[in-house]
Amino acid sequence: MDLGTLTGGTFGDELSLGAKGLFRVRVCRKAADDGEEGDVWLIQSWPAPGTPEAPRWLKRTRAAVHPANPGWQQVLGYHVIEVSWFFTLAGMQRPDGWLDEPLPDEPRPSAGVCAQLGVDPPRTRRDAIPLLVAAGLIVDDGAGRFSPGTPRRATEALDLPGELAARVDADAVRSAYIWLAADVTGIAAWSNPARIEDLAALLAVPGETIEPLLEYAAEDNLIQRGNGTVTALPRPPL
């Protein structure tokens, strides 16, 4: 086994497992000691004859379901959202007078969206500030400083055209479940098929997560549901 190929590092670090066949592997990682860079890895392997079992997550260091994308960039356009980053991303440098330059023509928020939020359509980047505050993307502290907000999903705050609303809602689901869907697809591929009743324990997630996860994975053609089981679907070549 070539560890350099596996980890994307330098080549030549080969690890001999001693024999062909199935092995179990345990991989652990921790931050390096103070004063040292990178991480410290421990990889243990041992023979495991028989049928391989599905992957199992014992602990997650971050939420399995990610925060849903509220969809405001699709509604307001990149150039308006960029103004929010000017205030909320530390180290984002722009030339003097950047805020007072005209907004690029495309894409711009529609007059209907601006009317629903109670603001005038922006002409300059500075004009976009009230729009961003009204959308909840930034919060005004009253002294000319702004911090990141916690906006509602755009489809909850606005009456949007049907096609745009559908794209916003679909992207919200995708951003929440796409990484966990990859995990459940791996379990389904190894188990061929996997039992739905086992998934919460294998994924280390609450049971109520499974149904919306499977709905997304099936809609994205990652899995096929059967009678209490899920099977991984083959992916078309790139």
Side-chain angles (χ1 to χ4, degrees):
M1 185 171 83
D2 192 324
L3 292 179
T5 301
L6 178 65
T7 61
T10 57
F11 295 97
D13 297 327
E14 295 185 355
L15 174 65
S16 175
L17 298 180
K20 295 182 179 180
L22 297 175
F23 286 79
R24 291 185 182 275
V25 177
R26 179 186 295 119
V27 181
C28 304
R29 176 180 63 88
K30 71 173 184 177
D33 294 334
D34 293 341
E36 298 182 3
E37 296 184 359
D39 299 315
V40 176
W41 293 81
L42 173 65
I43 303 177
Q44 298 172 300
S45 62
W46 60 97
T51 303
E53 296 180 5
R56 176 187 293 269
W57 278 255
L58 301 180
K59 181 179 180 181
R60 292 185 178 270
T61 57
R62 64 192 69 180
V65 179
H66 291 212
N69 184 345
W72 284 101
Q73 183 165 324
Q74 295 191 57
V75 175
L76 302 181
Y78 170 83
H79 299 296
V80 170
I81 298 298
E82 186 183 23
V83 176
S84 73
W85 300 337
F86 176 79
F87 295 106
T88 59
L89 293 183
M92 184 176 183
Q93 300 297 319
R94 288 292 184 266
D96 293 341
W98 182 78
L99 277 177
D100 295 308
E101 293 176 358
L103 273 174
D105 289 337
E106 295 293 340
R108 282 196 181 190
S110 69
V113 165
C114 294
Q116 290 186 63
L117 293 173
V119 298
D120 294 328
R123 296 181 179 275
T124 67
R125 292 188 176 97
R126 190 178 299 276
D127 293 341
I129 295 174
L131 178 58
L132 292 165
V133 171
L137 290 161
I138 59 175
V139 178
D140 186 352
D141 70 355
R145 293 186 296 269
F146 299 90
S147 57
T150 307
R152 292 187 296 162
R153 190 182 303 180
T155 49
E156 298 174 355
L158 300 170
D159 182 14
L160 298 174
E163 183 178 345
L164 176 58
R167 290 203 311 267
V168 169
D169 286 339
D171 191 56
V173 174
R174 180 179 185 274
S175 62
Y177 289 103
I178 186 170
W179 297 108
L180 191 56
D183 295 345
V184 79
T185 303
I187 290 175
W190 276 89
S191 303
N192 194 33
R195 297 192 306 173
I196 293 176
E197 65 184 33
D198 297 336
L199 293 178
L202 292 174
L203 291 166
V205 298
E208 59 268 22
T209 302
I210 298 302
E211 187 56 34
L213 167 64
L214 295 183
E215 288 182 7
Y216 166 75
E219 186 173 341
D220 204 35
N221 294 318
L222 298 173
I223 62 167
Q224 180 175 352
R225 299 183 65 165
N227 184 20
T229 64
V230 291
T231 305
L233 292 176
R235 305 298 292 167
L238 295 176

